[in-house]
Amino acid sequence: MSGTGTYGGYGPQTTTDYPPGPAGWTAGASFPLRASGQLYANDLNAQLSAPVSFLAKKPVVVACQQTAQTGIPTGTTPTALVLDTEVSDAWYMQSNPADLSQLVCPVGCDGLWAVSGQCPIVLPAGAYSAQAAILHNGSVYSLGSRQEANGAYVTPVVSDLVPMAAGDYIQLGIIHNAASGQATFIGPAATPTGYLLSPAPTLAARWVAGTQVSLQHGGIVPATAQLNPSVAGPVYTPVPAMQLGPVAGTTWTDGQAVPSATLTADITVPVMFLSNVPAFRVNQTAATSVTTAGSVQQVSNLQVDIDNWVQFAAFPYYIAPIAGLYLCGGAVEYASASAAYYGAAHVGITHAGATQWYPGAQGAGLQPAGCATRMVRLAAGDEVQLGAYQTSGATQSTVPAGTRFWGVWVSE
Amino acid sequence: MPQPPVPVDWPARYVPAAGDFNTNITQAFGFLQSPPVFRAIQLTVQSVPGSTWTPVTLDTVLEDTYSGWNATSNHYVAQCAGQYELTWAAQLNGGAGAAGATGYYLSANGVTTGPWEWGRAEAGHAPFAWQGYGLVYMSAGDWVQPLVWHNNSSAVNTNVGSGTAAAWMSSGLEIAWISE
């Protein structure tokens, strides 16, 4: 636990009072129908109501900055931005009053978090640029888009999948190469006045998956799970083989027998599935070349960082283990050039041999970086990949430190 | 139409009826596995005037599991309360000297607010695409609408693909309910 906040949020109050997160569950076992054949209330409460309460009220936090932050130094080390205004924080994640830049992982919510941010900033005239970053426990976890400002304000963005244990914290960071002393940009009041100002530095996060890892997942690629997040985070716990995935559910009728196997299939499996949905993250380990203004090119030299369903076996593609809507994000940073150009990241899906590219937010400048985050519909077996596209007029190399790809199952 | 589950506190010695299981097991997980989802794209070129926040007209609905799309008003209406995840993108064809940004209008409790801007890029370098990714709380009946903005001296057209199977996806909006 690295945070200094209380990280004691117990979430929205409900009619139940149980440990809110997966850490409080006895998950992974068959449903405990008692020898007497009775269903005990505490079984239903602990293994049905508590997980459903959590899964229906998953931790979400959105915080922003409404008073411009000045004195941001130049350099390559991100400056954490103070988030002086909570937009949504039912789990009390902004729990360190001494440092409002921190959003702290609540107790019981160890796992993977989808994190996004934007950093409006004003820079002086010239080829100066700014880049957004996500910090994890004070260190750079991911770099986002980089934008040249040239006397105006721009809004670099960033998104990523971040593993966090209770007490860990994330921050929104900004990097720029103008003289020290720059300031964030806070926009005018949205219409009608009286609401928050926009644009504004904003950091958002939501819990997406827990820390149990399925070792069997649809029979597609049974293999050893990848358990090597690049930063210290939650401890992953393999669970017994279980056919995870969405369930059809039973239409119950009065007088119907209640066998343990049915309850396991209808309760335990969906609880385990919804708290361990497929998720992945890969980092680039070595630069690759991207030709100019051609077709979008697949980014390779990727190393698995998170892959709880072991679907990166067909490297460098991620193969969707089950059908559904997936949130996928990626960033591509490009090498420096003598003239400004733009570089973009794309999310690509390949279905039945045909590939479609979803453009993201481009970056522009002498050394641009693009960032893409899109929800895409995948069939089981479809491939998703990270794409690069740039317009410098010459071949450019990627910069591995700012190049990665991630995704998570969202819905059937 | 299923709504987000409301967990119950099962009392001791209570004998569940079939309706209890249907509501608290089958429908609860049914909703959590298949919450409201919406995706739409633009396949008809749209002219976007300079320096004006302009709603992106989405003419092709790819999926709308809770029938939240209002085609007449070109916005998505939440069918149940909760936190919604939004990703959206807009592509403009031309405007080499223009800056650009995306955003959205949010109508909550009958009051339309915005533009809520996201992801502004500077002028120059032949920009073509802007994109956003955010979390928005909506009560049932609230709505969102994607926007695009540029400051080219004259109107520019959106850049659309040749269809849903195009290699280059058009401007689009994706929405999913993620939490109460």
Side-chain angles (χ1 to χ4, degrees):
Chain A
M1 296 183 185
S2 303
T4 55
T6 61
Y7 53 88
Y10 282 92
Q13 294 301 306
T14 67
T15 55
T16 59
D17 184 19
Y18 299 99
W25 307 339
T26 309
S30 296
F31 200 86
L33 199 64
R34 304 295 175 174
S36 64
Q38 290 181 312
L39 276 169
Y40 285 2
N42 59 351
D43 294 332
L44 287 173
N45 284 325
Q47 299 209 39
L48 174 61
S49 295
V52 166
S53 178
F54 176 84
L55 293 168
K57 303 173 187 295
K58 292 183 288 289
V60 169
V61 61
V62 181
C64 68
Q65 181 182 90
Q66 294 288 280
T67 300
Q69 184 168 337
T70 59
I72 298 174
T74 189
T76 57
T77 302
T79 297
L81 298 182
V82 175
L83 305 171
D84 52 43
T85 302
E86 289 180 317
V87 178
S88 181
D89 188 12
W91 284 75
Y92 191 39
M93 291 179 63
Q94 198 179 43
S95 58
N96 181 2
D99 188 346
L100 294 181
S101 70
Q102 296 183 5
L103 302 180
V104 185
C105 179
V107 167
C109 301
D110 297 25
L112 303 175
W113 294 70
V115 180
S116 68
Q118 69 164 354
C119 308
I121 187 169
V122 186
L123 296 179
Y128 301 117
S129 61
Q131 187 170 29
I134 295 171
L135 310 181
H136 176 259
N137 290 345
S139 299
V140 175
Y141 182 76
S142 43
L143 298 172
S145 67
R146 176 185 284 141
Q147 300 284 358
E148 185 177 285
N150 195 16
Y153 82 86
V154 290
T155 309
V157 298
V158 63
S159 71
D160 207 344
L161 189 67
V162 183
M164 287 203 290
D168 287 3
Y169 64 91
I170 53 173
Q171 296 164 295
L172 177 63
I174 185 75
I175 299 169
H176 71 82
N177 60 2
S180 291
Q182 304 302 319
T184 56
F185 179 82
I186 309 294
T191 302
T193 57
Y195 289 85
L196 295 176
L197 308 177
S198 176
T202 305
L203 182 62
R206 70 175 182 94
W207 183 95
V208 298
T211 55
Q212 288 122 345
V213 178
S214 169
L215 298 183
Q216 181 178 335
H217 34 73
I220 296 176
V221 190
T224 303
Q226 303 290 327
L227 305 173
N228 55 340
S230 60
V231 298
V235 176
Y236 285 78
T237 307
V239 301
M242 182 179 292
Q243 186 76 40
L244 296 183
V247 299
T250 300
T251 300
W252 298 88
T253 56
D254 284 330
Q256 179 180 349
V258 185
S260 175
T262 303
L263 293 178
T264 297
D266 283 13
I267 297 176
T268 309
V269 169
V271 165
M272 290 298 297
F273 169 70
L274 289 168
S275 55
N276 296 278
V277 297
F280 68 91
R281 182 183 192 265
V282 289
N283 290 308
Q284 192 177 45
T285 56
T288 55
S289 296
V290 182
T291 57
T292 183
S295 56
V296 181
Q297 293 179 236
Q298 183 195 41
V299 175
S300 58
N301 291 343
L302 301 173
Q303 172 180 280
V304 171
D305 185 31
I306 297 168
D307 188 6
N308 64 353
W309 283 50
V310 199
Q311 291 301 112
F312 248 103
F315 215 77
Y317 297 98
Y318 182 82
I319 300 177
I322 55 175
L325 188 72
Y326 286 73
L327 175 67
C328 294
V332 179
E333 183 168 353
Y334 296 86
S336 179
S338 56
Y341 63 106
Y342 83 74
H346 300 256
V347 173
I349 64 173
T350 302
H351 175 75
T355 300
Q356 268 188 324
W357 294 103
Y358 287 71
Q362 64 186 12
L366 298 177
Q367 187 181 352
C371 185
T373 313
R374 301 294 295 272
M375 280 187 273
V376 296
R377 170 66 62 183
L378 300 176
D382 282 358
E383 300 161 345
V384 285
Q385 59 200 293
L386 177 63
Y389 185 87
Q390 56 90 10
T391 62
S392 68
T395 297
Q396 298 292 343
S397 295
T398 60
V399 176
T403 302
R404 68 186 173 282
F405 187 42
W406 62 277
V408 60
W409 185 94
V410 174
S411 168
E412 280 189 297
Chain B
M1 185 176 293
Q3 294 291 303
V6 180
V8 298
D9 192 359
W10 300 87
R13 293 179 295 281
Y14 177 74
V15 179
D20 295 323
F21 278 11
N22 285 328
T23 299
N24 295 292
I25 299 176
T26 308
Q27 293 175 19
F29 290 117
F31 180 88
L32 294 173
Q33 292 174 168
S34 302
V37 164
F38 170 77
R39 292 191 307 134
I41 59 174
Q42 181 184 72
L43 294 181
T44 301
V45 172
Q46 177 185 358
S47 178
V48 179
S51 301
T52 302
W53 280 101
T54 303
V56 178
T57 303
L58 303 175
D59 49 58
T60 304
V61 175
L62 302 177
E63 58 183 313
D64 185 8
T65 61
Y66 270 59
S67 301
W69 181 243
N70 184 325
T72 303
S73 301
N74 191 54
H75 61 222
Y76 180 80
V77 183
Q79 300 300 298
C80 58
Q83 298 279 356
Y84 286 79
E85 189 159 57
L86 277 62
T87 58
W88 70 97
Q91 298 178 50
L92 300 180
N93 191 4
T102 55
Y104 59 87
Y105 284 132
L106 169 65
S107 181
N109 298 317
V111 180
T112 301
T113 62
W116 300 103
E117 182 179 323
W118 193 279
R120 179 185 175 105
E122 70 138 349
H125 322 311
F128 77 99
W130 297 269
Q131 196 240 308
Y133 166 37
L135 301 174
V136 174
Y137 182 86
M138 288 192 284
S139 299
D142 293 350
W143 56 259
V144 289
Q145 182 176 51
L147 306 171
V148 67
W149 176 93
H150 69 85
N151 64 358
N152 198 54
S153 57
S154 58
V156 296
N157 287 337
T158 55
N159 188 9
V160 300
S162 57
T164 54
W168 195 281
M169 222 32 193
S170 297
S171 302
L173 170 68
E174 299 94 31
I175 298 176
W177 181 99
I178 55 168
S179 180
E180 286 188 83

